[in-house]
Amino acid sequence: MWRSVHSFAGLMLGLLVSVVALSGAVLATKPIYDTATSQSVVSGMSVADLLKVVTNANPDIMGERLLLTPAGDWKLTFTQSNRRQERIIDPATGDFAAEKKEPAIYTQMRTLHRSFFLGEDGRVLTAIAGAAMAILTVSGVGLFLRRVGGLRRGFSRIQGRDSGALHAIVGRLALVPLLVLSVTALYLSGLTFDVISVGDGAAPAYPESLQELDAVAPWDLHGLQALPLATAREVIFPIPEDWFDVWSVRTAQAWMFFDQFTGDQLSRDPQALSARIYEVVMLLHTAEGAWPWALVLMVSALSVPFFTVTGMLVWWRNRRNGRSRMEGNASVAQAEILILVGSEGGATWRFAEALHKGFVTAGLPVRTCAMNELRRDYPKLRMLITMAATYGDGDAPKSATGFLDRLARLQASGVQHVSLAFGDKAFAGYCAFGRDVATALNAKLGQPAMAPFEIDKQSAHAFQHWCDLLGDCLGQPLTVTYTPKRPKTSALTLTSKTVFGRALGSETTVLRFAALRIPAHRPGDLIEVYAPDCTVPRLYSLGSCSKRDGFVEIMVRRVEGGLCSNWLCDLAEGASIDVAIARNERFQMPTSRKPVIMVGAGTGLAPFTGMIRHNTASRPVDLFWGGRRPDADAIYGEEIAAWLSEARLARAELAWSRTDPGQYVQDRIRAERSHLIERLKAGATIMVCGGAAMAAEIRTEFSALAAEIGLSLDELKRRNRYLEDIY
Ligand SMILES: Cc1cc2nc3c(=O)[nH]c(=O)nc-3n(C[C@H](O)[C@H](O)[C@H](O)COP(=O)(O)O)c2cc1C
């Protein structure tokens, strides 16, 4: 529901809201401009002080009223030579000052902001924009909390730098000011259309002075002396020689009345609640007289067009990933079958879409949504089907991070369940999250309707088989048609190839391609290579950055019988290959300036090469890398030496396993124990890339190191300070 509301409002009204917000951002500079140019109140002045300077500087006038203008100037109404006049005065000297002329841009922006240059009719558009902004903000919060898996995780670090993550990061920061702006905008529209009114229209109850005494100068009246000028909005002078008239001062909260002879406060007439609310709303919405808040409003308003653009990108990406194409999705109240999807790259959504269609065709009320969208209650639910991919070290994919907590709160009895896991046998934690899901379902709902099933490398064949089994289980054949979708690929031309390790009987090749029209990527992202005769792509870590390097670089180890690796290693210079980019947000160089410890072996060096090459700010980066023999296997040997001399790399600890004595990368870690502890204390992030066996050894080493300073590996992982890219 949140998603539909948010997408609909954003797509339909994003432009309108952006125009109002941008013009609002310009208007928010006005209080800053006013502060810089106004005849500002001399801090520490009282109302009595102002009256004194005004009277002394203009002895031959008869003052009537002093009014603080929205621009922050004091305007004096007075009579001189029987002529009534109004002049801005300088509160420091009491002299008349030139009336400030507002720059034309503000007048234009105000008309655009309030009515789109369309007169009264345009005010409806502004009201719609205000309502849309309120809806977008509230539904955005709902979506965000669902994405991170609940309020408890609402303050934790948001992973990734894709448009969705940026949308959420900026959204979290701008949330409060945008909510304030939208609610106050709605209030002001309510005033425009007379839905809300300010005050009851009653004039304050003026008291009278109690006795006639000799005239006293206002600056000698203790009541006015005690009233700070900063709190006053308006001062009304008593009529001269009218002994029962009083000094009246309006503040944001009340009218206050002072005896003109004794200076005593005679009474205080609080502003009506509605008038006070109006004052607060105006302050919050326009920030007049409060330039720091104006700055906050300006930045927040500027973020609105950013949301429109990133929001559209997210919407488009979701569409492409099949996320929003669940036609015939049953409502929560009607759903009898619930398909929950845990996906990060989008492939599982495509399987889910095929299954969803199968149920719709069979006439069954089915609802398909992300695992993080699981609700507490589905009144008609009969069967729950989970389709979950696994990421990282057996972790949940993005759309399922909060699933296990949500499942615990599900109110369901007599609901059948089936789990399907997606993974890749090349990973150590094959289908690990899918298995966790199956275990949790068993604990919550009892025995499954059919045995949990695992699909390796998105096998269409295995999926069809599982759909047949599911049909048997339901006692109703299901027609599910799944056609694997090949992403849009780009062609790369091999420009150079460097082979290492021939002398050792197995080769590692660094392949460099010309990068002409390749989608944006950074070191650590993955490249999907489509080799001839391979139904599924093979993934390789990228060592290059699309923005900074003029090439694409990967490292491939020849695997006996490996279709793709042999094909790549045998490629001739000038040959072309088809590739797509797979973002790997979990394995990116952290953005802070804290140290980074990179650990890898063999081709695990690939992502680090790009990260180190671009470490131009010389942040402390240590590389621990394991190869076999320095004479045959010194991949990037010269570059590493250069990076050290250029301070892109602080240390290079290379371990050679086939020398005498042989050493593994974990041995170097043990040898550098005290240095690494210092790095950990300084907030270092550890990045590990390579085979599963090596990664397990490194985990053991860093668990021990972390324990020495009272940390645990789990905690480091939770804080995104222990990142792994394992194959
Ligand atoms: C960066 C990355 C990490 C992965 N980690 C694992 C893993 O630990 N265990 C596993 O079985 N599969 C792992 N996989 C494979 C995915 O689970 C599998 O490709 C799945 O079909 C992806 O589905 P999705 O595109 O819907 O996210 C990983 C894939 C990638 C790209």
Side-chain angles (χ1 to χ4, degrees):
M1 200 263 284
W2 288 129
R3 185 179 297 279
S4 321
V5 170
H6 197 74
S7 310
F8 184 78
L11 290 171
M12 302 308 288
L13 301 166
L15 191 65
L16 187 80
V17 177
S18 297
V19 172
V20 174
L22 274 180
S23 51
V26 176
L27 289 174
T29 61
K30 175 97 188 328
I32 304 166
Y33 168 84
D34 284 341
T35 310
T37 56
S38 77
Q39 322 285 334
S40 59
V41 171
V42 179
S43 63
M45 269 179 93
S46 66
V47 171
D49 293 335
L50 179 67
L51 290 168
K52 183 170 186 177
V53 289
V54 170
T55 316
N56 286 348
N58 312 284
D60 53 345
I61 63 156
M62 202 168 78
E64 244 175 67
R65 181 168 90 142
L66 275 162
L67 179 73
L68 187 66
T69 68
D73 292 325
W74 280 102
K75 188 190 268 183
L76 176 68
T77 309
F78 60 95
T79 309
Q80 192 175 27
S81 319
N82 287 332
R83 221 160 53 87
R84 199 151 177 267
Q85 300 180 49
E86 280 186 340
R87 298 292 292 271
I88 298 290
I89 51 129
D90 179 349
T93 59
D95 293 335
F96 295 145
E99 178 106 43
K100 201 167 57 198
K101 229 179 134 32
E102 178 181 84
I105 176 94
Y106 290 123
T107 323
Q108 283 162 2
M109 282 299 135
R110 200 171 293 116
T111 322
L112 173 63
H113 190 73
R114 289 184 182 164
S115 61
F116 287 87
F117 301 116
L118 296 173
E120 284 303 305
D121 297 343
R123 291 183 173 248
V124 179
L125 287 179
T126 308
I128 293 174
M133 197 153 109
I135 290 169
L136 283 165
T137 317
V138 172
S139 56
V141 176
L143 265 176
F144 170 72
L145 291 180
R146 201 176 60 193
R147 173 188 161 136
V148 295
L151 192 59
R152 261 190 308 138
R153 296 173 196 225
F155 299 98
S156 53
R157 184 168 172 255
I158 300 167
Q159 284 194 2
R161 287 293 173 272
D162 59 353
S163 40
L166 292 177
H167 196 81
I169 292 168
V170 180
R172 190 165 62 179
L173 291 175
L175 168 70
V176 173
L178 288 184
L179 254 184
V180 168
L181 276 178
S182 45
V183 171
T184 50
L186 282 178
Y187 172 94
L188 294 174
S189 295
L191 280 183
T192 308
F193 296 108
D194 285 335
V195 182
I196 302 171
S197 62
V198 181
D200 51 11
Y206 286 94
E208 291 182 352
S209 283
L210 303 176
Q211 52 196 318
E212 185 179 4
L213 300 171
D214 288 339
V216 179
W219 50 90
D220 287 333
L221 298 176
H222 67 95
L224 299 180
Q225 284 166 348
L227 199 61
L229 188 56
T231 61
R233 303 281 185 275
E234 186 177 353
V235 180
I236 299 182
F237 297 58
I239 300 168
E241 281 146 34
D242 210 347
W243 69 263
F244 45 81
D245 202 359
V246 294
W247 283 98
S248 314
V249 182
R250 181 168 62 85
T251 67
Q253 283 82 31
W255 274 103
M256 298 164 89
F257 304 98
F258 299 91
D259 190 294
Q260 59 167 303
F261 304 110
T262 64
D264 293 342
Q265 184 179 319
L266 297 172
S267 67
R268 188 173 181 279
D269 195 351
Q271 302 261 33
L273 180 64
S274 55
R276 274 188 281 165
I277 292 176
Y278 174 80
E279 282 256 2
V280 174
V281 167
M282 285 304 280
L283 175 71
L284 289 175
H285 196 84
T286 63
E288 254 160 23
W291 67 264
W293 177 239
L295 262 182
V296 175
L297 291 190
M298 185 182 71
V299 175
S300 311
L302 283 176
S303 69
V304 172
F306 169 85
F307 289 129
T308 308
V309 174
T310 49
M312 282 182 181
L313 289 176
V314 173
W315 174 80
W316 177 244
R317 196 189 56 200
N318 285 342
R319 253 189 86 81
R320 235 187 22 200
N321 289 343
R323 173 65 183 86
S324 57
R325 260 184 277 145
M326 294 302 160
E327 276 159 28
N329 222 11
S331 67
V332 171
Q334 295 303 324
E336 292 181 23
I337 293 162
L338 182 64
I339 302 175
L340 294 174
V341 185
S343 168
E344 187 150 326
T348 313
W349 280 109
R350 289 193 286 278
F351 286 101
E353 191 189 355
L355 180 64
H356 179 93
K357 268 195 191 141
F359 279 120
V360 172
T361 312
L364 293 165
V366 57
R367 178 173 177 81
T368 301
C369 58
M371 293 177 89
N372 276 349
E373 291 169 353
L374 177 67
R375 300 271 207 113
R376 261 171 205 267
D377 193 19
Y378 295 84
K380 293 195 177 163
L381 189 63
R382 286 195 290 128
M383 179 173 270
L384 180 67
I385 301 171
T386 54
M387 300 174 79
T390 294
Y391 274 80
D393 180 25
D395 296 336
K398 260 187 199 160
S399 68
T401 43
F403 171 73
L404 296 174
D405 291 345
R406 287 180 165 251
L407 181 67
R409 293 195 295 267
L410 177 72
Q411 290 167 1
S413 62
V415 172
Q416 293 190 309
H417 66 95
V418 174
S419 66
L420 178 60
F422 290 84
D424 188 330
K425 282 196 171 140
F427 289 89
Y430 174 57
C431 286
F433 177 66
R435 288 176 192 171
D436 289 348
V437 169
T439 312
L441 285 172
N442 289 355
K444 176 81 185 179
L445 302 169
Q447 284 306 303
M450 59 187 260
F453 197 87
E454 289 164 0
I455 292 185
D456 183 27
K457 296 190 187 64
Q458 298 163 19
S459 158
H461 181 72
F463 180 64
Q464 290 297 346
H465 174 60
W466 176 79
C467 290
D468 293 342
L469 294 176
L470 183 62
D472 292 346
C473 168
L474 291 165
Q476 182 171 6
L478 275 180
T479 314
V480 177
T481 320
Y482 170 75
T483 0
K485 185 175 151 210
R486 190 169 161 153
K488 204 167 156 251
T489 53
S490 316
L492 291 183
T493 308
L494 185 65
T495 52
S496 73
K497 179 165 120 158
T498 320
V499 185
F500 297 89
R502 260 202 193 120
L504 295 161
S506 83
E507 298 167 22
T508 300
T509 307
V510 175
L511 296 141
R512 190 173 272 200
F513 300 87
L516 291 176
R517 293 180 53 179
I518 180 95
H521 63 266
R522 290 177 294 175
D525 281 341
L526 304 165
I527 195 164
E528 293 179 350
V529 178
Y530 289 81
D533 305 328
C534 276
T535 46
V536 279
R538 292 285 183 273
L539 293 171
Y540 295 93
S541 280
L542 277 161
S544 51
C545 171
S546 54
K547 263 202 211 135
R548 305 204 196 179
D549 298 314
F551 54 82
V552 171
E553 194 163 274
I554 56 171
M555 221 188 259
V556 181
R557 177 151 185 227
R558 197 188 279 277
V559 180
E560 222 186 294
L563 268 180
C564 194
S565 71
N566 280 295
W567 175 72
L568 279 172
C569 289
D570 293 336
L571 269 187
E573 282 177 18
S576 271
I577 63 169
D578 273 347
V579 300
I581 298 292
R583 290 290 169 82
N584 191 8
E585 299 294 349
R586 295 161 185 270
F587 203 72
Q588 300 290 330
M589 180 85 160
T591 41
S592 79
R593 303 250 328 123
K594 297 201 171 135
V596 179
I597 302 161
M598 297 176 171
V599 185
T603 53
L605 183 59
F608 299 144
T609 59
M611 295 178 193
I612 299 169
R613 201 167 42 239
H614 299 308
N615 180 28
T616 43
S618 307
R619 67 190 278 192
V621 174
D622 298 337
L623 173 69
F624 288 75
W625 180 75
R628 287 163 300 178
R629 244 174 39 203
D631 55 332
D633 225 8
I635 310 174
Y636 289 95
E638 284 171 21
E639 284 87 344
I640 290 176
W643 293 333
L644 283 167
S645 69
E646 292 159 5
R648 292 171 201 249
L649 199 54
R651 264 181 192 225
E653 298 290 342
L654 308 183
W656 304 105
S657 60
R658 303 239 183 125
T659 50
D660 191 20
Q663 255 196 342
Y664 291 102
V665 71
Q666 57 268 33
D667 298 319
R668 293 263 20 103
I669 287 176
R670 236 170 284 138
E672 296 302 321
R673 198 187 130 270
S674 50
H675 169 70
L676 289 172
I677 287 194
E678 285 315 308
R679 290 291 205 218
L680 281 178
K681 281 189 189 156
T685 299
I686 301 118
M687 303 183 78
V688 183
C689 184
M694 176 222 52
E697 295 284 350
I698 305 304
R699 249 176 258 142
T700 314
E701 295 305 329
F702 275 99
S703 289
L705 285 176
E708 288 194 34
I709 54 167
L711 282 170
S712 73
L713 202 63
D714 279 347
E715 203 170 329
L716 287 174
K717 281 188 180 180
R718 252 199 317 279
R719 294 193 201 160
N720 290 315
R721 284 182 53 195
Y722 196 88
L723 314 176
E724 290 181 312
D725 190 10
I726 307 164
Y727 43 82

